[in-house]
Amino acid sequence: VMNQSFHNSYIAMGALGFHFSESFGLHAEGGYAYNDNKDECDLLGKDFNINPLINEIQTFYGAHLSYTPIYGKYQLGTGDVLYFDWFFTAGGGLAANRVRQGGCGGEKIEPGTEVWATNPQFNVGTGQRYFLGKNTALIWNARLLVFQPAEKGKSLFGDGIQNVILSLGIGYFL
């Protein structure tokens, strides 16, 4: 996750998709996040006693529709041809997240007392697939993931948490 001020989130993701045609596909996906304070956050909490609310994501899952309007190929200097797709995605699902009170100040939480909320999420994005062979592709994807804060009384559309996610991966096509 690229745009968080006080903590880092690293997300391991998996997806399974079915393409109805060359242009449209439906994908189910899920992810689990590891969250860690940035060094700047720890310094703010210790030296200046600044403790902002940090809303961190733990898991998300859902589905998205993909549209692939651009197909291309590029001839490399060796004479080989590199095929690629450019796609766009939109979808939604659920995200488990929580608000860390005193997020930069070394918050103490008793084991088993963390409160996670499961709230709606939606996402839009774009990316490319570079085919390394007939069935394998290197895939990058940039997405805006918006989810409802874990705080009571907050809404998805008025108060939604917006995370920009850059992902890299390998795809296998049957």
Side-chain angles (χ1 to χ4, degrees), residues 15-166:
L16 183 63
F18 178 78
H19 285 260
F20 304 108
S21 66
E22 285 192 17
S23 297
F24 290 98
L26 182 63
H27 305 265
E29 65 182 351
Y32 182 82
Y34 168 74
N35 296 287
D36 187 31
N37 280 350
K38 290 184 178 178
D39 291 338
E40 295 85 0
C41 183
D42 291 335
L43 292 174
L44 285 174
K46 290 177 188 172
D47 296 343
F48 299 100
N49 201 23
I50 297 174
N51 296 306
L53 295 178
I54 295 177
N55 204 318
E56 61 187 24
I57 189 168
Q58 181 186 35
T59 60
F60 73 92
Y61 47 93
H64 67 263
L65 183 66
S66 69
Y67 173 60
T68 307
I70 299 172
Y71 298 91
K73 56 186 172 181
Y74 181 79
Q75 186 169 6
L76 302 172
T78 62
D80 293 328
V81 177
L82 177 65
Y83 294 91
F84 67 92
D85 297 349
W86 194 315
F87 61 90
F88 298 92
T89 64
L94 295 172
N97 62 317
R98 74 173 179 137
V99 175
R100 278 199 287 145
Q101 303 288 336
C104 289
E107 171 188 37
K108 305 263 190 281
I109 298 177
E110 295 296 320
T113 62
E114 294 180 346
V115 178
W116 293 90
T118 302
N119 293 311
Q121 60 92 352
F122 75 92
N123 61 78
V124 293
T126 186
Q128 290 181 324
R129 291 184 275 273
Y130 292 93
F131 291 90
L132 305 174
K134 186 175 182 178
N135 296 340
T136 308
L138 179 64
I139 304 170
W140 72 264
N141 188 348
R143 244 193 295 195
L144 175 65
L145 174 70
V146 179
F147 58 92
Q148 182 175 330
E151 300 168 79
K152 291 183 180 179
K154 301 286 185 173
S155 70
L156 173 64
F157 295 105
D159 308 298
I161 304 297
Q162 300 175 9
N163 285 335
V164 176
I165 299 174
L166 177 63

